[in-house]
C-alpha cells in the first residue's frame, strides 16, 4: 500500500517568507509526527498528533512554527518569517496508534532558507 | 541532552563482518526502536523492543535490551555493502508521548 508522502520534496525560500510543508500519512494511522533533522544531526521532535486528542506541541522551537491536522489525516507544518537556522530536512511519520508502535517515515522535505 | 546516545559515532567494516552498535539512554522506557537512514532522507524502521523483552531477531539483525544498564545493542551479521547507512536508536519514555532519537552511528561496509 501507499506509504507516507510529503510535499514538496525540496523548498528554497527567502528569509522572512512563510512556508507550508505537507504530509499525507498512511491511511488508517491515527498518530502523526513531525521531526526536523539538521545536517549530520539526529532527529528533533517537533509535534505529535494522536487521534482527536490535543497535539503535543512541546517540541516546536518557537511561535513561528505551527501545525495542524485536518480530518485526522493530512497535516500541514507552517513556518512563518523563516530564518536561516530553519534550514533542515523536515520529516513526517505516522503510526497505527501511538508511540508504542513503529513509525513509518516519509521521504522528507529539504528546506533551504537563503 | 539526547535521551539516546549511540556508540560508536562511526564504524567502518569489511563486507561479511559483523557490525555492533550500542545505544544508552537515561530514563525508564516503554520501548526502544532502531531505525536506518540512507542518504539523509526518510528513515526505515528495523526493530522495536519493549521494556519487558531482552532480545529480538529479524533476519540478520539482533537487538538486545538491558534495562538495568539502560542500554541496547544492534548487531548486523554478515554485513553487505547495502547495509551502509546511518543507524539510530530511539526511545519512548514510560510516561512519554514522543520518540526521542540519538544522533546515530554511521556504518560503512566496504565491498
Amino acid at each position: 500500500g501507499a506509504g507516507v508522502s510529503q510535499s514538496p520534496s525540496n523548498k528554497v525560500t527567502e528569509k522572512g517568507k512563510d512556508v507550508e510543508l505537507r504530509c499525507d500519512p498512511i491511511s488508517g494511522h491515527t498518530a502523526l509526527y513531525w521531526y526536523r533533522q539538521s545536517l549530520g544531526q539526529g532527529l528533533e521532535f517537533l509535534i505529535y498528533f494522536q487521534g482527536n486528542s490535543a497535539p503535543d506541541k512541546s517540541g516546536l522551537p518557537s511561535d513561528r512554527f505551527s501545525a495542524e491536522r485536518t480530518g485526522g489525516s493530512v497535516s500541514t507544518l507552517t513556518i512563518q518569517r523563516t530564518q536561516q537556522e530553519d534550514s533542515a530536512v523536515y520529516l513526517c511519520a505516522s503510526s497505527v496508534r501511538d508511540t508504542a508502535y513503529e513509525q513509518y517515515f516519509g521521504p522528507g522535505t529539504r528546506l533551504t532558507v537563503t | 541532552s539526547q535521551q539516546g546516545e549511540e556508540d560508536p559515532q562511526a564504524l567502518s567494516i569489511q563486507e561479511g563482518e559483523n557490525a555492533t552498535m550500542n545505544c544508552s539512554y537515561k530514563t525508564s522506557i516503554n520501548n526502544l526502536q532502531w531505525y536506518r537512514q540512507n542518504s539523509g532522507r526518510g528513515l526505515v524502521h528495523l526493530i522495536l523492543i519493549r521494556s519487558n523483552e531482552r532480545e529480538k531477531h529479524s533476519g540478520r539483525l539482533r537487538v538486545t535490551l538491558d534495562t538495568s544498564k539502560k542500554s541496547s545493542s544492534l548487531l548486523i551479521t554478515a554485513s553487505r555493502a547495502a547495509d551502509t547507512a546511518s543507524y539510530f536508536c530511539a526511545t519512548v519514555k514510560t510516561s512519554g508521548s514522543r520518540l526521542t532519537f540519538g544522533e546515530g552511528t554511521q556504518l560503512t561496509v566496504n565491498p
Side-chain angles (χ1 to χ4, degrees):
Chain A
V4 177
S5 61
Q6 292 185 245
S7 61
S9 57
N10 287 283
K11 176 72 176 178
V12 180
T13 190
E14 293 180 351
K15 178 182 172 181
K17 296 284 180 66
D18 297 352
V19 295
E20 285 190 353
L21 312 180
R22 177 186 168 105
C23 172
D24 281 90
I26 293 173
S27 177
H29 281 193
T30 62
L32 186 147
Y33 314 80
W34 282 98
Y35 298 90
R36 177 170 72 174
Q37 186 176 33
S38 301
L39 187 63
Q41 301 294 312
L43 275 73
E44 174 189 6
F45 167 82
L46 297 177
I47 189 169
Y48 164 44
F49 295 91
Q50 169 52 44
N52 295 322
S53 302
D56 176 357
K57 303 180 181 180
S58 58
L60 295 178
S62 77
D63 58 9
R64 296 187 295 106
F65 288 72
S66 63
E68 61 178 23
R69 188 178 185 193
T70 54
S73 181
V74 171
S75 177
T76 302
L77 177 69
T78 301
I79 309 173
Q80 295 179 311
R81 304 181 302 282
T82 52
Q83 303 294 313
Q84 288 187 330
E85 60 262 30
D86 299 334
S87 295
V89 176
Y90 289 81
L91 291 157
C92 173
S94 69
S95 65
V96 64
R97 229 175 72 181
D98 55 30
T99 51
Y101 299 84
E102 58 265 36
Q103 298 185 16
Y104 296 84
F105 281 79
T109 293
R110 184 178 299 280
L111 175 66
T112 303
V113 182
T114 61
Chain B
S1 61
Q2 293 285 346
Q3 161 73 334
E5 295 182 3
E6 286 92 340
D7 166 51
Q9 290 187 329
L11 179 62
S12 181
I13 60 174
Q14 295 299 122
E15 213 164 22
E17 294 180 340
N18 296 341
T20 299
M21 287 161 271
N22 302 297
C23 170
S24 61
Y25 57 92
K26 295 181 173 65
T27 64
S28 296
I29 60 170
N30 174 285
N31 67 76
L32 184 146
Q33 305 179 29
W34 285 91
Y35 289 82
R36 183 183 72 208
Q37 184 178 41
N38 292 86
S39 304
R41 297 306 287 258
L43 278 75
V44 174
H45 178 265
L46 298 176
I47 287 185
L48 181 153
I49 186 165
R50 302 192 188 281
S51 59
N52 61 350
E53 298 176 309
R54 293 296 168 259
E55 186 171 313
K56 286 189 85 168
H57 296 255
S58 177
R60 295 183 296 112
L61 306 181
R62 171 178 171 253
V63 167
T64 62
L65 179 64
D66 187 334
T67 53
S68 66
K69 294 181 180 178
K70 292 186 170 55
S71 67
S72 174
S73 67
L74 170 66
L75 169 67
I76 304 174
T77 60
S79 64
R80 305 167 182 167
D83 295 329
T84 295
S86 292
Y87 291 81
F88 294 90
C89 72
T91 56
V92 177
K93 296 179 184 178
T94 303
S95 59
S97 64
R98 67 172 64 179
L99 197 63
T100 303
F101 284 81
E103 296 190 0
T105 292
Q106 172 60 49
L107 173 66
T108 302
V109 181
N110 301 298

